[in-house]
Amino acid sequence: MSADAAAIGAAAGLIGLALFQSALAAGAPLGRAAFGGGHAGVLPGRFRVASGVAVVVWASAALIVLRRAGLGPPALPAVVAAYGVWVLFGLLLLGAVLNAASSSRWERWFWAPYALVLAGLCFVVARAGGG
């Protein structure tokens, strides 16, 4: 797989995470699929705020991955993208493990593999380098 294809796939997946978190922050009744699955329906306020922050984090992560492959905004320093993709790889790998250990079926059977695939794509981008 090329670094460009991996970066585009990872960015799309990260934007998917941002959209999911945006829905949670807006009050979508998807609490069983997030934050350990302990809240059926709409998340409590503090978790909705955390989801709002996550929107910014995941959207920024998408830009970092694209920049590392030479496809993203040149205003983002290349060194930030170079280290940032490795950080994302580690965080997504950790997220996959934590989701796999969750009591939430959504987290175990959907989010754990999702995070693992994103970690793999970030690994491809990080190893290949780019712009």
Side-chain angles (χ1 to χ4, degrees):
M1 170 177 279
S2 75
D4 287 359
I8 291 167
L14 292 164
I15 293 300
L17 282 173
L19 291 172
F20 175 71
Q21 292 293 336
S22 179
L24 289 172
L30 301 169
R32 287 272 186 232
F35 297 104
H39 302 281
V42 176
L43 292 174
R46 71 179 192 273
F47 288 106
R48 290 175 67 186
V49 169
S51 286
V53 171
V55 170
V56 175
V57 170
W58 294 124
S60 298
L63 291 175
I64 288 170
V65 170
L66 289 172
R67 175 64 173 103
R68 177 64 175 155
L71 304 172
L76 181 64
V79 68
V80 170
Y83 288 106
V85 168
W86 282 112
V87 170
L88 283 170
F89 165 69
L91 289 175
L92 288 163
L93 204 55
L94 177 62
V97 170
L98 293 175
N99 280 318
S102 174
S103 61
S104 164
R105 286 184 179 159
W106 274 102
E107 290 184 344
R108 278 194 322 268
W109 299 108
F110 182 77
W111 291 120
Y114 191 94
L116 190 59
V117 167
L118 287 178
L121 292 170
C122 286
F123 181 79
V124 170
V125 174
R127 294 257 313 161

